[in-house]
């Protein structure tokens, strides 16, 4: 073959690759993983992201949300690995479920480190939040925005809990890294780790006495009073932020325009999602924001709903909280080392600037 013909052939095959590249760039459907069901602030926030992306890419990016752990057969602590491998393309995930693989994410589960929403916002919007996002990026998962499940409160079927002694020998279901086991053992309870998909049955059958989850995020939408959870302690002991994220390889393959749409859609969906998670639990800002957006949340007073359904709500005062904090102090020290003392310090500095 003449040299000229070879050049023509190479040019032609190059042109073909270029023409077919855009068609190959998008999957017909992207998978988004989700631990809980669609009727939660968490699930609604994922669906909102999928809807915004579809609308803003003229249907080119079509994301299907796989609710209730369908994408990882309920094994929620495998979610990070599966997203990294590309079994899931997108996720709106709890830092708790990724904490076995990403030790820095245990920061949010450090008992009594975040006293209120302002201290959380300061950290996720501050230097510590940036460092955590950079870490995820290096691990092959591109984070897009912070969402929220909420502050986690304690429920049980047996009696009121107002002091560590009340937890003695209670079987408490937990999930995530071993930090949760350490925390509940330090408090004198008998913790068992299991995924959410198994927790409801375990509560129903009395295999465990209690569990911990956000009131607006999980306890009310899942009507946990129907699973014998008649006592609730408000102690804000850990917070549960969520992360909108995409598989790193997928992210790199997208054009700058698509990247912009994904980032913006995640931020817009996150704003809505966070407001839904905070309704009735903040100073009124969340509900005001939703009203402004012409959104009408089903539940605006989660504690009211609990009380109406016969749940005894116990709010701890500063002295009562101090007794719990004292018990978990060694756990905080141990896990500060695991998380990285620098990151914990950075988070503390972020909080001071709130
Ligand atoms: O399993 C839980 O408790 C849940 C639903 O809150 C998480 O995924 C962390």
């Amino acid at each position: 073959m003449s040299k000229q013909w070879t050049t023509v052939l190479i040019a032609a095959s190059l042109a073909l690759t270029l023409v077919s590249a855009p068609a190959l760039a998008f999957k017909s459907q992207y998978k988004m993983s989700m631990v809980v069901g669609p009727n939660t602030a968490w699930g609604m926030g994922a669906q909102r992201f999928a809807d915004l992306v579809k609308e803003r890419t003229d249907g080119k990016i079509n994301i299907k949300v796989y609710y209730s752990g369908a994408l990882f057969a309920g094994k929620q602590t495998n979610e990070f690995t599966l997203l990294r491998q590309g079994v899931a393309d997108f996720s709106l995930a709890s830092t708790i479920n990724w904490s076995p693989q990403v030790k820095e994410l245990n920061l949010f589960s450090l008992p009594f480190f975040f006293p209120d929403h302002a201290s959380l916002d300061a950290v996720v919007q501050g230097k510590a939040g940036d460092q955590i996002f950079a870490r995820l990026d290096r691990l092959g998962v591109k984070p897009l925005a912070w969402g929220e499940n909420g502050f986690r409160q304690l429920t049980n079927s047996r009696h009121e809990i107002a002091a560590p002694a009340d937890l003695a020998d209670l079987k408490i279901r937990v999930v995530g890294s071993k930090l949760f086991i350490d925390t509940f053992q330090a408090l004198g309870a008998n913790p068992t780790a299991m995924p959410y998909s198994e927790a409801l049955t375990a509560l129903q059958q009395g295999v465990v006495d209690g569990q911990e989850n956000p009131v607006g995020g999980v306890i009310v939408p899942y009507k946990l009073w129907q699973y014998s959870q008649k006592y609730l302690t408000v102690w804000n002991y850990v917070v549960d932020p969520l992360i909108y994220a995409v598989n790193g390889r997928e992210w790199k393959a997208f054009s700058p325009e698509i990247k912009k749409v994904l980032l913006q859609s995640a931020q817009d969906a996150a704003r809505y999602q966070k407001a839904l998670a905070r309704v009735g639990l903040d100073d009124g800002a969340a509900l005001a924001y939703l009203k402004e957006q012409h959104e009408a949340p089903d539940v605006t007073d989660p504690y009211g709903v609990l009380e109406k359904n016969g749940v005894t709500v116990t709010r701890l005062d500063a002295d009562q909280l101090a007794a719990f904090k004292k018990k978990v102090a060694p756990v905080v020290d141990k896990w500060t080392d695991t998380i990285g003392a620098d990151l914990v310090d950075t988070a503390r500095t972020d909080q001071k600037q709130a």
Side-chain angles (χ1 to χ4, degrees), residues 9-28:
L9 272 179
I10 292 172
S13 64
L14 245 173
L16 253 179
T17 322
L18 287 177
V19 168
S20 54
L24 286 175
F26 298 116
K27 293 183 177 175
S28 62

Side-chain angles (χ1 to χ4, degrees), residues 233-250:
T233 300
V234 184
W235 63 341
N236 288 7
Y237 89 116
V238 300
V239 72
D240 187 2
L242 306 176
I243 299 176
Y244 284 86
V246 53
N247 167 280
R249 281 186 307 280
E250 301 277 7

Side-chain angles (χ1 to χ4, degrees), residues 145-163:
W146 292 95
E148 188 162 305
N149 192 20
F151 278 99
R152 296 177 75 93
Q153 320 296 3
L154 184 64
T155 68
N156 85 96
S157 60
R158 305 276 290 277
H159 50 241
E160 245 186 298
I161 294 170

